[in-house]
Every structure is written in C-alpha cells, then in structure tokens.
C-alpha cells in the first residue's frame, strides 16, 4: 500500500477547501445525458478537517439525492440506494492522501466503493437511471442551503 503514498507526495495543484459553509464549488443545471446508465468518480483525497458528515461530491437532480459521496465512509449513496455506511473501512489518518473510487452501473444496478484500489463495499441500488439534469457540488450539499455538518474542508486531486 506504499505505492499511493509515494505517488501523491508533493502534490501542489490539489483543490483545497476551507472550513466554512462558503467553501464549495457549485454547478447548476448540469446535463449528464451521457452518464445516466453508468457513473464513476475517482479522486485522491486528503482530510484536513473533521466535520460530522463531510460531503466531497453531491449530484442532486429533481430534488433527489442521486449521488452523495464523502471522505470518511459515511456517504456512499448512489441512485436511491439506502446509504452504504463504510466508516469502519475508511481507516486512513487525517492529513494522509488516499485514493477512492465510487462506481455505479444500470447493467447490474450495483454501486461499488474502492479505497486505495481495494473493493471495500457494494450494494444494489434502485432499478432506474440517473436524473439527466441537476445541480452538482464539491465540498458540501448541492442543495441551496449549505450545512456546517457537511463541510468537506480537505484537498481533492485528480477528481474524475
């Protein structure tokens, strides 16, 4: 597991989020017609702040939580799946980089969570596709009112 620590050492181009409800990146009315039947989000993450339920990424079409991802294993929510809580698997200490991937496919309606290349959890979602137009947010909820419980307050590198 040392490969990921060596690879990310010296990252100076990461997005750094502050520790207030005003520290987020929001996109409104995003069209995701190419990603309605499958989705993946992968990123290097470093926790620098301990919120109650930090949100790294939130996609919120039609007032529905379609994708809700966090940095501590609490939020692993895809397409109507009852939240897949994996806090006991996210054992990376604060201020250390780790790599996480969340995937979902309408082929088998399953979401999977990978931490440093290892599958740590999966679950079957509702049998539907993602909403095609919605708000996206990095660093807090995509809903209009930002919540101090959801402040991310960390670093994100190579989010895709």
């Amino acid at each position: 597991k040392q490969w990921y620590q060596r690879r990310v050492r010296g990252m100076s181009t990461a997005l750094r989020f502050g520790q207030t409800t005003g520290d987020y990146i929001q996109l409104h009315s995003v069209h995701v017609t190419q990603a309605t039947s499958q989705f993946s989000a992968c990123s290097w993450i470093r926790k620098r702040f301990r919120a109650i339920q930090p949100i790294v990424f939130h996609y919120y079409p039609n007032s529905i939580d379609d994708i809700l991802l966090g940095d501590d294993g609490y939020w692993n929510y895809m397409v109507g799946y009852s939240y897949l809580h994996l806090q006991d698997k996210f054992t990376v200490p604060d201020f250390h980089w780790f790599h996480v991937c969340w995937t979902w496919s309408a082929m088998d309606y399953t979401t999977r969570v990978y931490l440093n290349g290892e599958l740590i959890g999966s679950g079957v979602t509702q049998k539907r596709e993602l909403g095609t137009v919605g708000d996206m947010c990095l660093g807090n909820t995509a809903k209009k009112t930002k919540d101090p419980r959801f402040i991310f307050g960390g670093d994100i590198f190579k989010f895709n």
Side-chain angles (χ1 to χ4, degrees):
K1 294 192 176 187
Q2 295 299 315
W3 64 270
Y4 65 88
Q5 289 178 343
R6 283 194 301 272
R7 179 151 189 239
V8 297
R9 189 172 289 139
M11 288 181 183
S12 60
T13 57
L15 286 172
R16 175 161 284 177
F17 290 82
Q19 300 173 2
T20 73
T21 54
D23 298 311
Y24 61 88
I25 298 170
Q26 179 94 32
L27 302 171
H28 296 285
S29 300
V30 177
H31 294 262
V32 294
T33 54
Q34 298 299 315
T36 58
S37 61
Q38 61 184 3
F39 174 85
S40 67
C42 298
S43 184
W44 290 97
I45 295 175
R46 179 170 52 185
K47 296 185 281 189
R48 297 183 307 104
F49 176 71
R50 190 60 72 175
I52 295 173
Q53 298 163 349
I55 295 174
V56 173
F57 177 77
H58 187 197
Y59 176 58
Y60 189 64
N62 306 317
S63 300
I64 298 170
D65 293 320
D66 260 5
I67 303 170
L68 192 51
L69 311 173
D71 75 349
D72 66 353
Y74 185 82
W75 297 116
N76 299 287
Y77 184 86
M78 298 264 202
V79 195
Y81 178 71
S82 59
Y83 298 95
L84 180 62
H85 296 299
L86 299 169
Q87 295 96 313
D88 60 328
K89 307 281 183 162
F90 274 72
T91 57
V92 180
D94 292 351
F95 300 99
H96 285 76
W97 285 101
F98 61 95
H99 192 261
V100 62
C101 284
W102 299 272
T103 67
W104 171 80
S105 172
M107 184 179 296
D108 61 1
Y109 298 103
T110 299
T111 186
R112 293 174 179 82
V113 182
Y114 299 85
L115 181 64
N116 294 323
E118 183 178 324
L119 178 66
I120 61 168
S122 64
V124 177
T125 67
Q126 289 181 355
K127 292 182 174 26
R128 65 175 177 84
E129 293 190 344
L130 288 171
T132 57
V133 180
D135 293 342
M136 289 184 182
C137 188
L138 291 171
N140 207 305
T141 176
K143 297 175 183 177
K144 185 174 181 176
T145 303
K146 303 308 176 208
D147 191 318
R149 296 173 301 160
F150 304 147
I151 296 169
F152 166 56
D155 300 329
I156 298 174
F157 184 73
K158 293 193 174 184
F159 183 87
N160 61 43

